[in-house]
Amino acid sequence: ARRRQPSRLSSCLAPPPSFLAALSTAISIAVSAGLSTMLLLCFPLALVSLSAPRDEVSFDFGWRFTTGLSTHPAQSDEPPPASADPGLHPAEAQTGYDDSGWAEVQLPHDGLIAAAASSAACRDGCSGKSYIPRHVLWYRKAFTLPAEWAGSLLFLDFEGSFRKTTVWLDGELLAAHDCGYTPFRVRLDNATSLRRRLGSGDSAHTIAVFVDPDNGDEGARSHGSGWWYEGGGLYRSVALLRVPPLHIERDGLFAYSNLSWHASGGMEEEGEQEGEQPSGGVLHASAAVANAGSSAQTICVAFSLSPPGGGRLLAA
């Protein structure tokens, strides 16, 4: 687990509950040529963190995996069924389902590549002319949450799953995601079973993920994919994230600079001119803070600018 430590706080505001507050500051600075490169390209900013730490735990290990549905097992020489919808309450998503016969896998994982090529199952070649049938895929993982996490916000961050993905927690449908190329986040703490059980001690749960990797025989825009072999399943890492009710939003930190450059005649102008040197600039930084608690909170945010070698140049 990675724990992020608090930093010095300033620039106060009081957001109401369930409010997304944008905090921003602009720092006017005189820069040298070396520092201007740092501002434009690498932004070595020690940005904001709130006083309560967050925990991020890898969810890549301890998965069980199988292909096909319990009502329609995958056959190596048969094409996938035309309709592979598992429904709202499939047996595979229930806590007591017996997955002891499933394979043990870790992520990232391609759920298709181990299958034997089959011209009988892929009469048209399947995607990328791989002749690998694109049967539906199931993943399950049992895990335990510590009692002290009660009252926190809990998320699963999926970096990538190909293609159409549906997620259940303890048999409760939580989310669906259709794109095979984009990451997505699933919130766990508002699930019925978790809210009921987490506050009474350490609680055991089961996450179930159904992935339909179908992208058409040749791949198609209507299936949100290309013509090549794209694999299938949880092909990127998954992480469990715990944050306090008052927290920095996902992708909530942003910084950019506006530099002024020496121009002919002693004038200054925006934008780099060939052979000229920067004379100064403004660095803009912002943090988006969310309050999911039941009462208003007063918070402070600090920004500091650090050179590549360490230390601090400016703070606001």
Side-chain angles (χ1 to χ4, degrees), residues 252-275:
L253 301 178
F254 184 68
Y256 68 97
S257 64
N258 295 118
L259 297 181
S260 298
W261 301 80
H262 287 294
S264 58
M267 301 294 291
E268 291 189 347
E269 57 187 30
E270 292 289 332
E272 181 179 2
Q273 307 296 315
E274 185 176 356

PDB file of all heavy atoms in Angstrom, residues 252-275:
ATOM      1  N   GLY A 252      -7.338  15.644 -10.180  1.00  0.00           N
ATOM      2  CA  GLY A 252      -7.725  16.975  -9.711  1.00  0.00           C
ATOM      3  C   GLY A 252      -6.602  17.981  -9.622  1.00  0.00           C
ATOM      4  O   GLY A 252      -6.841  19.126  -9.227  1.00  0.00           O
ATOM      5  N   LEU A 253      -5.372  17.612  -9.948  1.00  0.00           N
ATOM      6  CA  LEU A 253      -4.239  18.538  -9.909  1.00  0.00           C
ATOM      7  C   LEU A 253      -3.852  18.940 -11.326  1.00  0.00           C
ATOM      8  O   LEU A 253      -3.761  18.096 -12.215  1.00  0.00           O
ATOM      9  CB  LEU A 253      -3.043  17.908  -9.213  1.00  0.00           C
ATOM     10  CG  LEU A 253      -3.272  17.462  -7.764  1.00  0.00           C
ATOM     11  CD1 LEU A 253      -2.015  16.802  -7.217  1.00  0.00           C
ATOM     12  CD2 LEU A 253      -3.701  18.615  -6.899  1.00  0.00           C
ATOM     13  N   PHE A 254      -3.634  20.247 -11.525  1.00  0.00           N
ATOM     14  CA  PHE A 254      -3.305  20.738 -12.864  1.00  0.00           C
ATOM     15  C   PHE A 254      -2.389  21.942 -12.739  1.00  0.00           C
ATOM     16  O   PHE A 254      -2.553  22.779 -11.838  1.00  0.00           O
ATOM     17  CB  PHE A 254      -4.577  21.131 -13.617  1.00  0.00           C
ATOM     18  CG  PHE A 254      -4.337  21.566 -15.035  1.00  0.00           C
ATOM     19  CD1 PHE A 254      -3.911  20.657 -15.991  1.00  0.00           C
ATOM     20  CD2 PHE A 254      -4.526  22.877 -15.412  1.00  0.00           C
ATOM     21  CE1 PHE A 254      -3.667  21.056 -17.296  1.00  0.00           C
ATOM     22  CE2 PHE A 254      -4.296  23.294 -16.719  1.00  0.00           C
ATOM     23  CZ  PHE A 254      -3.864  22.378 -17.664  1.00  0.00           C
ATOM     24  N   ALA A 255      -1.405  22.042 -13.616  1.00  0.00           N
ATOM     25  CA  ALA A 255      -0.476  23.177 -13.605  1.00  0.00           C
ATOM     26  C   ALA A 255      -0.053  23.509 -15.028  1.00  0.00           C
ATOM     27  O   ALA A 255       0.082  22.614 -15.862  1.00  0.00           O
ATOM     28  CB  ALA A 255       0.746  22.867 -12.749  1.00  0.00           C
ATOM     29  N   TYR A 256       0.111  24.781 -15.308  1.00  0.00           N
ATOM     30  CA  TYR A 256       0.631  25.220 -16.598  1.00  0.00           C
ATOM     31  C   TYR A 256       1.292  26.584 -16.422  1.00  0.00           C
ATOM     32  O   TYR A 256       1.094  27.268 -15.413  1.00  0.00           O
ATOM     33  CB  TYR A 256      -0.472  25.293 -17.662  1.00  0.00           C
ATOM     34  CG  TYR A 256      -1.501  26.386 -17.445  1.00  0.00           C
ATOM     35  CD1 TYR A 256      -1.398  27.615 -18.098  1.00  0.00           C
ATOM     36  CD2 TYR A 256      -2.579  26.179 -16.581  1.00  0.00           C
ATOM     37  CE1 TYR A 256      -2.341  28.605 -17.888  1.00  0.00           C
ATOM     38  CE2 TYR A 256      -3.529  27.159 -16.380  1.00  0.00           C
ATOM     39  CZ  TYR A 256      -3.409  28.380 -17.032  1.00  0.00           C
ATOM     40  OH  TYR A 256      -4.340  29.364 -16.823  1.00  0.00           O
ATOM     41  N   SER A 257       2.107  26.996 -17.402  1.00  0.00           N
ATOM     42  CA  SER A 257       2.834  28.258 -17.295  1.00  0.00           C
ATOM     43  C   SER A 257       2.581  29.142 -18.518  1.00  0.00           C
ATOM     44  O   SER A 257       2.314  28.643 -19.617  1.00  0.00           O
ATOM     45  CB  SER A 257       4.342  28.002 -17.164  1.00  0.00           C
ATOM     46  OG  SER A 257       4.838  27.375 -18.341  1.00  0.00           O
ATOM     47  N   ASN A 258       2.661  30.432 -18.309  1.00  0.00           N
ATOM     48  CA  ASN A 258       2.680  31.445 -19.375  1.00  0.00           C
ATOM     49  C   ASN A 258       3.967  32.237 -19.234  1.00  0.00           C
ATOM     50  O   ASN A 258       4.178  32.895 -18.208  1.00  0.00           O
ATOM     51  CB  ASN A 258       1.485  32.390 -19.271  1.00  0.00           C
ATOM     52  CG  ASN A 258       0.159  31.683 -19.513  1.00  0.00           C
ATOM     53  OD1 ASN A 258      -0.690  31.636 -18.642  1.00  0.00           O
ATOM     54  ND2 ASN A 258      -0.017  31.114 -20.692  1.00  0.00           N
ATOM     55  N   LEU A 259       4.849  32.159 -20.231  1.00  0.00           N
ATOM     56  CA  LEU A 259       6.133  32.859 -20.174  1.00  0.00           C
ATOM     57  C   LEU A 259       6.126  34.073 -21.091  1.00  0.00           C
ATOM     58  O   LEU A 259       5.463  34.090 -22.125  1.00  0.00           O
ATOM     59  CB  LEU A 259       7.264  31.923 -20.588  1.00  0.00           C
ATOM     60  CG  LEU A 259       7.496  30.695 -19.699  1.00  0.00           C
ATOM     61  CD1 LEU A 259       8.673  29.881 -20.223  1.00  0.00           C
ATOM     62  CD2 LEU A 259       7.718  31.094 -18.254  1.00  0.00           C
ATOM     63  N   SER A 260       6.865  35.092 -20.680  1.00  0.00           N
ATOM     64  CA  SER A 260       7.102  36.275 -21.511  1.00  0.00           C
ATOM     65  C   SER A 260       8.520  36.194 -22.053  1.00  0.00           C
ATOM     66  O   SER A 260       9.434  35.728 -21.367  1.00  0.00           O
ATOM     67  CB  SER A 260       6.926  37.553 -20.690  1.00  0.00           C
ATOM     68  OG  SER A 260       5.607  37.661 -20.204  1.00  0.00           O
ATOM     69  N   TRP A 261       8.686  36.684 -23.295  1.00  0.00           N
ATOM     70  CA  TRP A 261       9.976  36.568 -23.973  1.00  0.00           C
ATOM     71  C   TRP A 261      10.462  37.937 -24.410  1.00  0.00           C
ATOM     72  O   TRP A 261       9.679  38.809 -24.765  1.00  0.00           O
ATOM     73  CB  TRP A 261       9.862  35.653 -25.199  1.00  0.00           C
ATOM     74  CG  TRP A 261       9.396  34.275 -24.842  1.00  0.00           C
ATOM     75  CD1 TRP A 261       8.132  33.869 -24.594  1.00  0.00           C
ATOM     76  CD2 TRP A 261      10.226  33.139 -24.658  1.00  0.00           C
ATOM     77  NE1 TRP A 261       8.097  32.547 -24.269  1.00  0.00           N
ATOM     78  CE2 TRP A 261       9.368  32.064 -24.299  1.00  0.00           C
ATOM     79  CE3 TRP A 261      11.592  32.901 -24.763  1.00  0.00           C
ATOM     80  CZ2 TRP A 261       9.848  30.791 -24.042  1.00  0.00           C
ATOM     81  CZ3 TRP A 261      12.073  31.629 -24.526  1.00  0.00           C
ATOM     82  CH2 TRP A 261      11.203  30.589 -24.164  1.00  0.00           C
ATOM     83  N   HIS A 262      11.802  38.129 -24.358  1.00  0.00           N
ATOM     84  CA  HIS A 262      12.397  39.359 -24.859  1.00  0.00           C
ATOM     85  C   HIS A 262      12.171  39.468 -26.362  1.00  0.00           C
ATOM     86  O   HIS A 262      12.436  38.536 -27.109  1.00  0.00           O
ATOM     87  CB  HIS A 262      13.910  39.394 -24.581  1.00  0.00           C
ATOM     88  CG  HIS A 262      14.233  39.636 -23.153  1.00  0.00           C
ATOM     89  ND1 HIS A 262      13.941  40.815 -22.505  1.00  0.00           N
ATOM     90  CD2 HIS A 262      14.839  38.834 -22.234  1.00  0.00           C
ATOM     91  CE1 HIS A 262      14.360  40.740 -21.247  1.00  0.00           C
ATOM     92  NE2 HIS A 262      14.907  39.545 -21.065  1.00  0.00           N
ATOM     93  N   ALA A 263      11.652  40.593 -26.802  1.00  0.00           N
ATOM     94  CA  ALA A 263      11.449  40.821 -28.233  1.00  0.00           C
ATOM     95  C   ALA A 263      12.325  41.985 -28.687  1.00  0.00           C
ATOM     96  O   ALA A 263      12.915  42.700 -27.883  1.00  0.00           O
ATOM     97  CB  ALA A 263       9.981  41.116 -28.521  1.00  0.00           C
ATOM     98  N   SER A 264      12.441  42.166 -29.997  1.00  0.00           N
ATOM     99  CA  SER A 264      13.239  43.257 -30.536  1.00  0.00           C
ATOM    100  C   SER A 264      12.680  44.592 -30.068  1.00  0.00           C
ATOM    101  O   SER A 264      11.484  44.774 -29.884  1.00  0.00           O
ATOM    102  CB  SER A 264      13.243  43.197 -32.064  1.00  0.00           C
ATOM    103  OG  SER A 264      11.907  43.258 -32.553  1.00  0.00           O
ATOM    104  N   GLY A 265      13.573  45.550 -29.845  1.00  0.00           N
ATOM    105  CA  GLY A 265      13.140  46.876 -29.409  1.00  0.00           C
ATOM    106  C   GLY A 265      12.855  46.955 -27.928  1.00  0.00           C
ATOM    107  O   GLY A 265      12.291  47.938 -27.449  1.00  0.00           O
ATOM    108  N   GLY A 266      13.243  45.900 -27.172  1.00  0.00           N
ATOM    109  CA  GLY A 266      13.042  45.941 -25.735  1.00  0.00           C
ATOM    110  C   GLY A 266      11.633  45.615 -25.289  1.00  0.00           C
ATOM    111  O   GLY A 266      11.337  45.657 -24.104  1.00  0.00           O
ATOM    112  N   MET A 267      10.753  45.320 -26.223  1.00  0.00           N
ATOM    113  CA  MET A 267       9.372  44.987 -25.863  1.00  0.00           C
ATOM    114  C   MET A 267       9.286  43.510 -25.479  1.00  0.00           C
ATOM    115  O   MET A 267      10.126  42.698 -25.847  1.00  0.00           O
ATOM    116  CB  MET A 267       8.438  45.278 -27.047  1.00  0.00           C
ATOM    117  CG  MET A 267       8.463  46.733 -27.515  1.00  0.00           C
ATOM    118  SD  MET A 267       7.794  47.850 -26.276  1.00  0.00           S
ATOM    119  CE  MET A 267       6.060  47.363 -26.337  1.00  0.00           C
ATOM    120  N   GLU A 268       8.213  43.161 -24.727  1.00  0.00           N
ATOM    121  CA  GLU A 268       7.977  41.782 -24.371  1.00  0.00           C
ATOM    122  C   GLU A 268       6.714  41.283 -25.053  1.00  0.00           C
ATOM    123  O   GLU A 268       5.789  42.044 -25.322  1.00  0.00           O
ATOM    124  CB  GLU A 268       7.830  41.628 -22.848  1.00  0.00           C
ATOM    125  CG  GLU A 268       9.130  41.873 -22.090  1.00  0.00           C
ATOM    126  CD  GLU A 268       9.012  41.502 -20.627  1.00  0.00           C
ATOM    127  OE1 GLU A 268       7.871  41.292 -20.177  1.00  0.00           O
ATOM    128  OE2 GLU A 268      10.037  41.430 -19.940  1.00  0.00           O
ATOM    129  N   GLU A 269       6.676  39.984 -25.368  1.00  0.00           N
ATOM    130  CA  GLU A 269       5.508  39.428 -26.022  1.00  0.00           C
ATOM    131  C   GLU A 269       5.314  37.989 -25.552  1.00  0.00           C
ATOM    132  O   GLU A 269       6.224  37.363 -25.020  1.00  0.00           O
ATOM    133  CB  GLU A 269       5.681  39.452 -27.543  1.00  0.00           C
ATOM    134  CG  GLU A 269       6.916  38.715 -28.024  1.00  0.00           C
ATOM    135  CD  GLU A 269       7.151  38.892 -29.511  1.00  0.00           C
ATOM    136  OE1 GLU A 269       6.774  39.953 -30.049  1.00  0.00           O
ATOM    137  OE2 GLU A 269       7.713  37.960 -30.106  1.00  0.00           O
ATOM    138  N   GLU A 270       4.088  37.485 -25.698  1.00  0.00           N
ATOM    139  CA  GLU A 270       3.782  36.109 -25.322  1.00  0.00           C
ATOM    140  C   GLU A 270       4.274  35.158 -26.406  1.00  0.00           C
ATOM    141  O   GLU A 270       4.211  35.456 -27.588  1.00  0.00           O
ATOM    142  CB  GLU A 270       2.266  35.938 -25.160  1.00  0.00           C
ATOM    143  CG  GLU A 270       1.686  36.677 -23.972  1.00  0.00           C
ATOM    144  CD  GLU A 270       2.062  36.057 -22.640  1.00  0.00           C
ATOM    145  OE1 GLU A 270       2.291  34.830 -22.614  1.00  0.00           O
ATOM    146  OE2 GLU A 270       2.133  36.790 -21.645  1.00  0.00           O
ATOM    147  N   GLY A 271       4.781  33.985 -25.987  1.00  0.00           N
ATOM    148  CA  GLY A 271       5.185  32.966 -26.950  1.00  0.00           C
ATOM    149  C   GLY A 271       6.666  33.038 -27.267  1.00  0.00           C
ATOM    150  O   GLY A 271       7.247  34.119 -27.380  1.00  0.00           O
ATOM    151  N   GLU A 272       7.289  31.890 -27.423  1.00  0.00           N
ATOM    152  CA  GLU A 272       8.719  31.817 -27.672  1.00  0.00           C
ATOM    153  C   GLU A 272       9.044  32.261 -29.095  1.00  0.00           C
ATOM    154  O   GLU A 272       8.365  31.882 -30.045  1.00  0.00           O
ATOM    155  CB  GLU A 272       9.205  30.397 -27.455  1.00  0.00           C
ATOM    156  CG  GLU A 272      10.703  30.228 -27.666  1.00  0.00           C
ATOM    157  CD  GLU A 272      11.142  28.801 -27.418  1.00  0.00           C
ATOM    158  OE1 GLU A 272      10.279  27.955 -27.120  1.00  0.00           O
ATOM    159  OE2 GLU A 272      12.357  28.539 -27.534  1.00  0.00           O
ATOM    160  N   GLN A 273      10.076  33.085 -29.219  1.00  0.00           N
ATOM    161  CA  GLN A 273      10.592  33.504 -30.507  1.00  0.00           C
ATOM    162  C   GLN A 273      11.993  32.915 -30.680  1.00  0.00           C
ATOM    163  O   GLN A 273      12.755  32.838 -29.714  1.00  0.00           O
ATOM    164  CB  GLN A 273      10.649  35.035 -30.616  1.00  0.00           C
ATOM    165  CG  GLN A 273       9.323  35.729 -30.297  1.00  0.00           C
ATOM    166  CD  GLN A 273       8.238  35.362 -31.281  1.00  0.00           C
ATOM    167  OE1 GLN A 273       8.489  35.343 -32.486  1.00  0.00           O
ATOM    168  NE2 GLN A 273       7.045  35.084 -30.774  1.00  0.00           N
ATOM    169  N   GLU A 274      12.341  32.526 -31.889  1.00  0.00           N
ATOM    170  CA  GLU A 274      13.614  31.862 -32.131  1.00  0.00           C
ATOM    171  C   GLU A 274      14.779  32.730 -31.694  1.00  0.00           C
ATOM    172  O   GLU A 274      14.874  33.906 -32.034  1.00  0.00           O
ATOM    173  CB  GLU A 274      13.743  31.512 -33.616  1.00  0.00           C
ATOM    174  CG  GLU A 274      14.986  30.711 -33.934  1.00  0.00           C
ATOM    175  CD  GLU A 274      15.045  30.308 -35.388  1.00  0.00           C
ATOM    176  OE1 GLU A 274      14.072  30.593 -36.128  1.00  0.00           O
ATOM    177  OE2 GLU A 274      16.059  29.708 -35.781  1.00  0.00           O
ATOM    178  N   GLY A 275      15.692  32.133 -30.892  1.00  0.00           N
ATOM    179  CA  GLY A 275      16.885  32.831 -30.454  1.00  0.00           C
ATOM    180  C   GLY A 275      16.671  33.771 -29.294  1.00  0.00           C
ATOM    181  O   GLY A 275      17.625  34.437 -28.870  1.00  0.00           O
TER     182      GLY A 275
END
